[in-house]
Amino acid sequence: MKVFIAGATGAIGRLLVPALLRAGHGVVGMTTSERGVQTLKELGADGIIANALDAEAVESAVKEVKPDTVIEELTSLPRHYTPEEMRAAAERDRTVRLLGGQNLYSAARAAGARRYVVQSTGFFYGPGAGLATETDSLAFNASPSVSAGVQAYDQVERRVLGTSDSDMEGVALRYGFFYGPGTWFTEDGDVANQIRERKYPIVGAGQGVWSWIHIEDAAAATVAALAGAPGIYNIVDDDPSEQAVWLSAFATFLGAPAPPRITEEEALKAAGPDLVYYCTRLRGASNRKAKEALGFAPRRLEWLAASRAAA
């Protein structure tokens, strides 16, 4: 296929481009700068310059490429994973996902693309028993920023999956928390540095269940989604784990001190309700559908596997 990727030089895009090329696809990545075009050339792909928020530029770019498939990996996340920077980036990221994503989707339809694949969330599921499946509701009634994020993801999915008058097939990939090269959660990443400095606490009992995905496995699943049935897939690994469990294991893996513990009340006062939600309310997700339909085979969460082996 000829594949057009928006967000091609981001953390997942840099791994997705070569994965698509290895699978025999032709790849054109959309970027906002000549530097991005050069990065794509070094990866072996072509690049085209357009700002996702410029509808005319996006339409022109997609029309020029005439892709079979469009992959939307648009984000505008902060460099550092802190409550302050996450809050500051939230509205910008929402605008890019909603307005930029709508521009891209409209351009894909106009250019006659046959399939549209979009990034969604596999870690913002509403409360319930056991691991969440793709038919379970997202967390619309969570803490303020989480609820706002859920509403944005819901709009994105409805745009891609809810249009009955389109011949373009839609796929929403609900990724777990990214870890691995180029992410916050890696040995030299921002979270690891916070853990070493004992600035990343376990909140309360730390019972919030996080679903993870190595960024290389996310890229592989995205390639597989080009040929799978349309719909929603949880792209998460086999190790959904409570915050107290994964954080302690990550600290041990890094050779860092044990994480400090604070109460929910202390976390609420220091960082607000979103931190409390992440640490105590998240619900893990099931990857069964992706395994059965896409041949998805994720690796084990590295630091949790190391912890279990040591035990």
Side-chain angles (χ1 to χ4, degrees), residues 29-261:
M30 189 176 83
T31 180
T32 58
S33 68
E34 289 290 350
R35 182 179 180 182
V37 171
Q38 182 59 38
T39 296
L40 289 166
K41 286 182 179 178
E42 292 170 359
L43 292 173
D46 294 322
I48 193 165
I49 295 176
N51 188 318
L53 300 181
D54 184 337
E56 291 184 3
V58 173
E59 182 176 8
S60 176
V62 178
K63 184 177 180 180
E64 178 181 334
V65 175
K66 295 183 176 62
D68 301 300
T69 294
V70 173
I71 300 177
E72 179 189 329
E73 300 284 1
L74 292 171
T75 62
S76 185
L77 297 172
R79 180 179 179 182
H80 297 293
Y81 187 81
T82 66
E84 296 79 15
E85 292 203 27
M86 293 296 287
R87 284 193 294 267
E91 188 57 36
R92 181 182 70 240
D93 185 61
R94 178 183 174 87
T95 299
V96 168
R97 292 180 190 270
L98 295 182
L99 179 56
Q102 181 62 62
N103 291 340
L104 185 66
Y105 182 77
S106 297
R109 289 189 63 181
R114 300 199 304 268
R115 176 161 291 214
Y116 194 96
V117 180
V118 68
Q119 177 179 155
S120 189
T121 178
F123 46 81
F124 283 159
Y125 276 103
L131 298 178
T133 70
E134 290 81 355
T135 60
D136 287 322
S137 176
L138 297 178
F140 290 96
N141 297 314
S143 59
S145 291
V146 173
S147 293
V150 166
Q151 290 168 17
Y153 282 118
D154 182 62
Q155 290 182 52
V156 167
E157 290 189 356
R158 288 178 183 274
R159 180 220 311 148
V160 174
L161 302 172
T163 306
S164 59
D165 62 344
S166 174
D167 293 329
M168 186 166 62
E169 296 175 333
V171 179
L173 300 180
R174 291 180 173 174
Y175 299 123
F177 286 101
F178 288 149
Y179 74 98
T183 73
W184 293 315
F185 294 89
T186 189
E187 288 183 68
D188 58 353
D190 195 57
V191 171
N193 292 332
Q194 292 177 34
I195 292 172
R196 291 185 179 99
E197 296 169 3
R198 302 195 79 236
K199 294 180 179 178
Y200 202 110
I202 296 171
V203 175
Q207 72 271 31
V209 179
W210 292 47
S211 280
W212 298 91
I213 185 66
H214 192 283
I215 199 154
E216 292 177 2
D217 295 338
T222 306
V223 174
L226 269 61
I232 300 171
Y233 296 91
N234 289 333
I235 305 301
V236 299
D237 67 13
D238 296 319
D239 291 300
S241 49
E242 294 182 346
Q243 192 240 1
V245 173
W246 74 255
L247 182 51
S248 297
F250 197 13
T252 300
F253 180 77
L254 296 170
R261 288 181 175 267

